[in-house]
Amino acid sequence: MAMKATHAGAVAGAVVVCLCAVVAVQVQAAVAGGDGVEGTVRTLVEAAIKGDPRLGPALLRLVFHDCWVNGCDGSVLLDTTPFNGSSGTEKAAGRNIGLAGFEVIDTIKAKLGDTVSCADIVVLAGRDAAAVMSRGKINYTVVTGRRDGVVSSAAAAAATLPDSVFKIGQLKDNFAAKNFTAEELVVLSGAHAVGVSHLSSFQDRLSSSRSVSTPITAAYKAALGKDVEAQKAVQNTTDPTEPFNIRDMDAGFRNASGFDAAGVDTAAVGVLDNSFYLANTQNMVLLRSDWELLNATDTRRKVSVLGGNATRWEMEFAAAMAKLSNLPAEGTRFEVRKSCRSINNLN
Ligand code: HEM
């Protein structure tokens, strides 16, 4: 009996040990899996931005432009699909001018293989770009498991994405349609602390025509107009780009504009911080849609609050990006694409 009991105890002990080992292995596998995907994305995003800092803003913008149109479904990445309503894919939409970072997504996809969706890669890469550009200040959790859509239409992008000449009411309506508040509109617009815009997107801000002009500091407008002409030659195009953030212009430009750098770290070129709001209150932002945030009491107040509180903006920006990254995919047919640029079966 005693022998039996001892034996039974030993067997039970062995089962417990055995179960523990199985659980331990499973936990390890789950952790390794998470680290594997997220770690790979982080490594490749860091390397990409190190190689070309312009890719940071590009990856951040991709999240907005993917998730706003049909939800987060990788639709912005498609070069071709039969389901485009004959208007071309989203990339062909005018409001997607300057969209970039697609090669980074391709590189990540090639490394991760067929089980990770392109839609997941877009939100993970954008999240990591925000972390890198903010020097680790902006962090948020992203749930994965998205699947890729098969529809991508330029007409839908044109109808859904906000335009740079939108007025404050149009901007609020555009965000409300996606269940985002006016406060979140202001918070997310802070992304325009980094990156560039084409002249064609802010041409109206340089205009002297009273019908299209919006308040912009005269000295800044003059400096911008002068730099645009110089950049046409440098970039060899009639539609050159300019940095969004006056912080990122050289000291000569900032001084000529009369920029008050109090509260702005002018050495932090390319850093994703709340400096957008400080430039905005001085009427020194590129887009009309940026300036429009000053044109309603609630949004103007929010601009002022965020300009005075860097930590608050970082936290609210992270929360709003997490919400953006969670916009559910619309549509009925999904897959995990093999290539982010085309659907698996074109027929
Ligand atoms: C509120 C409405 C918005 C409008 C009207 C708008 C419009 C624009 C325009 C016109 C450009 C420049 C395109 C070009 O000419 O090359 C741009 C760039 C950019 N936008 Fe927005 N945007 C908005 C909201 C957002 C949001 C919510 C995000 C956040 C994810 C964002 C992130 C960016 C970034 C990072 C760039 C720079 C991209 C680069 O340098 O490659 N924008 N946006």
Side-chain angles (χ1 to χ4, degrees):
M1 249 339 247
M3 272 287 286
K4 257 188 175 172
T6 309
H7 179 69
V11 170
V15 169
V16 171
V17 168
C18 195
L19 272 180
C20 281
V22 170
V23 171
V25 168
Q26 277 173 348
V27 168
Q28 219 173 24
V31 170
D35 280 353
V37 171
E38 300 208 4
T40 301
V41 175
R42 179 67 183 241
T43 304
L44 293 175
V45 166
E46 279 175 4
I49 296 176
K50 201 168 175 198
D52 181 354
R54 291 174 301 183
L55 291 168
L59 290 171
L60 182 59
R61 187 176 180 220
L62 271 187
V63 181
F64 180 49
H65 285 233
D66 188 32
C67 296
W68 219 239
V69 185
N70 296 335
C72 307
D73 65 346
S75 56
V76 75
L77 306 173
L78 289 171
D79 285 337
T80 176
T81 173
F83 308 105
N84 61 21
S86 77
S87 65
T89 61
E90 290 172 28
K91 286 179 181 177
R95 288 180 198 180
N96 275 329
I97 182 176
L99 222 52
F102 299 111
E103 292 77 12
V104 185
I105 304 292
D106 291 340
T107 304
I108 297 171
K109 176 69 176 170
K111 192 89 179 175
L112 292 178
D114 290 350
T115 56
V116 180
S117 67
C118 301
D120 272 351
I121 293 173
V122 168
V123 295
L124 288 172
R127 187 264 305 261
D128 291 346
V132 171
M133 289 189 290
S134 65
R135 297 170 166 167
K137 298 260 177 62
I138 294 169
N139 298 289
Y140 52 94
T141 306
V142 162
V143 177
T144 52
R146 287 168 200 73
R147 288 182 305 154
D148 301 318
V150 297
V151 176
S152 176
S153 129
T160 313
L161 291 166
D163 195 14
S164 61
V165 295
F166 268 12
K167 297 177 180 164
I168 187 64
Q170 293 171 294
L171 290 167
K172 282 182 178 180
D173 287 350
N174 182 276
F175 271 58
K178 300 285 170 189
N179 204 22
F180 278 64
T181 65
E183 292 215 330
E184 287 167 329
L185 160 68
V186 179
V187 168
L188 282 174
S189 295
H192 290 171
V194 294
V196 297
S197 172
H198 285 84
L199 169 63
S200 53
S201 300
F202 65 87
Q203 182 92 62
D204 56 313
R205 301 276 284 152
L206 297 176
S207 170
S208 52
S209 155
R210 290 189 62 170
S211 60
V212 290
S213 69
T214 36
I216 180 168
T217 295
Y220 169 65
K221 181 179 176 179
L224 197 56
K226 204 169 141 200
D227 201 57
V228 159
E229 291 313 312
Q231 289 304 320
K232 282 182 182 170
V234 172
Q235 297 176 31
N236 194 23
T237 170
T238 53
D239 193 14
T241 56
E242 287 284 352
F244 267 117
N245 201 331
I246 189 169
R247 173 202 61 195
D248 294 352
M249 305 304 280
D250 63 30
F253 184 102
R254 293 197 307 267
N255 292 339
S257 303
F259 181 57
D260 176 0
V264 175
D265 179 1
T266 51
V269 174
V271 170
L272 182 58
D273 61 15
N274 69 334
S275 53
F276 165 82
Y277 304 99
L278 295 164
N280 207 341
T281 46
Q282 296 179 53
N283 280 342
M284 296 188 195
V285 283
L286 281 189
L287 304 183
R288 174 182 187 137
S289 55
D290 294 333
W291 170 79
E292 283 282 345
L293 302 177
L294 302 179
N295 212 11
T297 313
D298 55 348
T299 49
R300 184 171 61 244
R301 192 177 301 127
K302 189 74 182 170
V303 167
S304 159
V305 167
L306 295 177
N309 193 333
T311 310
R312 178 165 175 178
W313 176 72
E314 285 152 11
M315 287 174 63
E316 293 192 12
F317 186 73
M321 284 301 298
K323 180 174 169 182
L324 178 64
S325 305
N326 247 343
L327 281 174
E330 299 157 19
T332 50
R333 182 172 151 187
F334 297 101
E335 61 189 15
V336 174
R337 272 180 228 144
K338 294 187 195 316
S339 156
C340 291
R341 292 174 182 266
S342 60
I343 69 171
N344 289 344
N345 186 351
L346 277 173
N347 298 309

